[in-house]
Amino acid sequence: MVGGPVRDAALDLPVANDLDFVFAGDAPALAAELAEELGGEVTVHSRFGTTTILVEEDRVDIVTARSEVYPFPGSLPEVSASTLDDDLARRDFSINAMALPLSEDAPEVIDPHGGLENLANQSVVTLHPGSFTDDPTRLMRAVRYEQRLGFQISETTLAEMKHTLAGGHADAVSGDRWRHEFQKIFEERRAAEMLLRAIELSVLPAIHPALTDGQGLTGLAGETHLPPNGYLAALAMSLSAADGEDVRRRLNLPADWARVVRDTIALRESESSFDGQVSRISRFLDGLDPNAIAAFARISEDPQVAARLRRYLDEWRLVSPALTGDDLLAMGVPPGVKIGEVLRELNVAKLDGQVSSEADERALVQQIISRGN
Ligand code: CTP
């Protein structure tokens, strides 16, 4: 057993139900045998000879022990089957480079890189100075483990991060790979702290130069129940529309993420007009993603704006007239587009408090009919 589960077990933390194993042999063959015994399903990801077995809720990854060579910074590694030692040596941090042999009765942790010591002194430390340049996504991983575990990235490792950043190596990583790291952070309890730290260490600005402002995140520190796109909105909060578009391109954002970014920026830009008529605010908000609105309500520094956005989500957007199209026809409104127009007018009047009962609505319809347009 390697990586996360060994680290977490050594820390007495609950071990996740996705376990990682290294096999110094043919992992796909072993996985096939195991899956048959456990009644699970096997998937082989051929590029790295890695294999996943799914048994109900549990996920087991078995990889063939391998060594890795990075042909150039940020590239995917060239891998070849190798020993357990080589397999541990290809990993990111000492705390993730430990193994527990399962074939022994009284197993002891195999720890060639001082992982246990770094768990004890609460340090995130790389295995070699080229680690971040080989794989710059580790810049985000370092921050993630540091903040998740309440550790410190060691001085030497911080210097290595700076060196990789100064070399511009973050540029070599694809948008999809960076986005995957963001996704992992968004799912963490301390996501806001992680993103703030990644800004502080110039990791986010290296991914995109506009990601320098943590203002939207500051108020979220200590917040543990935000949906993932809340953090995305907090990051987008201080971007200009042009930068938002540029970030979308850099990270190859899928449509739903792109919408949260775009709508968060639209909300910030029009925040000052949210004290106007309810019907006007509602019409504007109807065109935006409710996820972005909910996130913005959480991070806006203006309590009145936040309260109005919450009211929109809980109340205003659900408002509809008591009268139906059929009622309007029966009252003599001509069929066709006029019905829709009158229904919308009733809705506006209801949102703005000009009608509050069905009788009020009927009176307004009569007025509209006698107005004759
Ligand atoms: N790893 C690495 N470099 C990466 C990604 C992963 O060296 N860029 C190694 C680490 O040894 C890590 C293991 O692969 O422990 C598994 O990676 P992952 O599943 O991402 O992390 P876990 O350690 O399992 O931690 P967690 O899922 O708790 O974040």
Side-chain angles (χ1 to χ4, degrees):
M1 186 163 73
V2 284
V6 181
R7 174 197 69 221
D8 292 340
L11 283 171
D12 248 342
L13 292 173
V15 171
N17 56 357
D18 54 335
L19 298 177
D20 291 330
F21 296 98
V22 166
F23 182 51
D26 183 351
L30 174 69
E33 261 182 64
L34 260 175
E36 202 171 306
E37 233 172 85
L38 300 170
E41 236 176 77
V42 187
T43 321
V44 177
H45 318 276
S46 52
R47 185 178 150 79
F48 295 140
T50 61
T51 320
T52 302
I53 310 176
L54 284 175
V55 190
E56 290 167 15
E57 296 292 281
D58 297 315
R59 177 193 162 118
V60 170
D61 286 324
I62 306 182
V63 305
T64 300
R66 66 187 195 234
S67 61
E68 291 183 343
V69 177
Y70 291 83
F72 53 89
S75 69
L76 292 178
E78 283 170 1
V79 306
S80 49
S82 188
T83 59
L84 175 64
D85 274 349
D86 277 349
D87 195 281
L88 293 178
R90 75 178 166 86
R91 290 169 187 268
D92 49 5
F93 309 112
S94 65
I95 57 171
N96 287 342
M98 296 182 282
L100 193 70
L102 298 184
S103 48
E104 291 165 22
D105 287 338
E108 272 190 34
V109 174
I110 300 173
D111 177 21
H113 304 283
L116 288 174
E117 189 188 331
N118 289 145
L119 285 181
N121 62 25
Q122 308 197 317
S123 287
V124 177
V125 186
T126 51
L127 305 193
H128 62 90
S131 185
F132 292 113
T133 301
D134 281 348
D135 177 358
T137 64
R138 290 174 175 167
L139 295 163
M140 289 273 261
R141 293 175 62 86
V143 168
R144 186 153 61 87
Y145 292 114
E146 180 195 57
Q147 295 300 311
R148 184 204 289 173
L149 300 171
F151 283 16
Q152 283 287 322
I153 300 172
S154 78
E155 287 301 322
T156 316
T157 298
L158 280 174
E160 293 164 6
M161 291 174 80
K162 276 199 188 122
H163 180 77
T164 297
L165 288 165
H169 298 302
D171 291 340
V173 174
S174 71
D176 288 341
R177 290 183 68 206
W178 280 130
R179 192 183 66 249
H180 185 65
E181 295 304 322
F182 276 104
Q183 171 84 49
K184 286 187 139 188
I185 286 187
F186 292 163
E187 287 164 7
E188 297 264 354
R189 288 166 57 88
R190 285 171 52 81
E193 287 85 342
M194 291 172 186
L195 294 167
L196 284 166
R197 179 76 162 136
I199 290 174
E200 182 191 25
L201 295 178
S202 304
V203 177
L204 296 198
I207 297 171
H208 190 283
L211 297 176
T212 51
D213 188 336
Q215 215 190 343
L217 294 160
T218 320
L220 300 180
E223 173 69 61
T224 54
H225 297 294
L226 216 64
N229 52 28
Y231 297 107
L232 178 63
L235 267 177
M237 184 82 168
S238 45
L239 298 179
S240 69
D243 282 338
E245 182 54 22
D246 216 37
V247 167
R248 179 190 70 72
R249 255 183 266 123
R250 173 65 180 104
L251 296 179
N252 191 24
L253 296 186
D256 54 339
W257 288 44
R259 219 172 154 214
V260 167
V261 170
R262 210 179 44 228
D263 290 355
T264 301
I265 296 168
L267 281 160
R268 194 211 57 235
E269 284 177 344
S270 43
E271 206 175 5
S272 56
S273 55
F274 285 169
D275 51 2
Q277 270 182 321
V278 172
S279 61
R280 285 197 48 211
I281 302 167
S282 288
R283 185 157 13 102
F284 171 68
L285 296 177
D286 282 345
L288 303 183
D289 181 355
N291 287 314
I293 299 173
F296 197 85
R298 180 66 195 77
I299 53 193
S300 168
E301 281 172 358
D302 182 336
Q304 254 172 329
V305 166
R308 295 209 120 192
L309 292 178
R310 279 199 203 97
R311 265 194 92 178
Y312 166 79
L313 290 171
D314 296 343
E315 220 180 287
W316 298 339
R317 72 173 162 150
L318 308 172
V319 165
S320 62
L323 296 176
T324 64
D326 284 343
D327 295 329
L328 299 189
L329 282 171
M331 289 179 71
V333 178
V337 286
K338 191 72 189 160
I339 297 287
E341 279 171 30
V342 176
L343 284 173
R344 269 191 297 280
E345 196 169 335
L346 286 176
N347 213 40
V348 164
K350 191 165 177 178
L351 282 167
D352 292 338
Q354 287 147 4
V355 299
S356 54
S357 65
E358 189 181 319
D360 290 349
E361 290 185 20
R362 285 185 182 278
L364 180 57
V365 172
Q366 291 303 347
Q367 266 181 42
I368 296 170
I369 292 171
S370 53
R371 199 170 72 198
N373 61 22

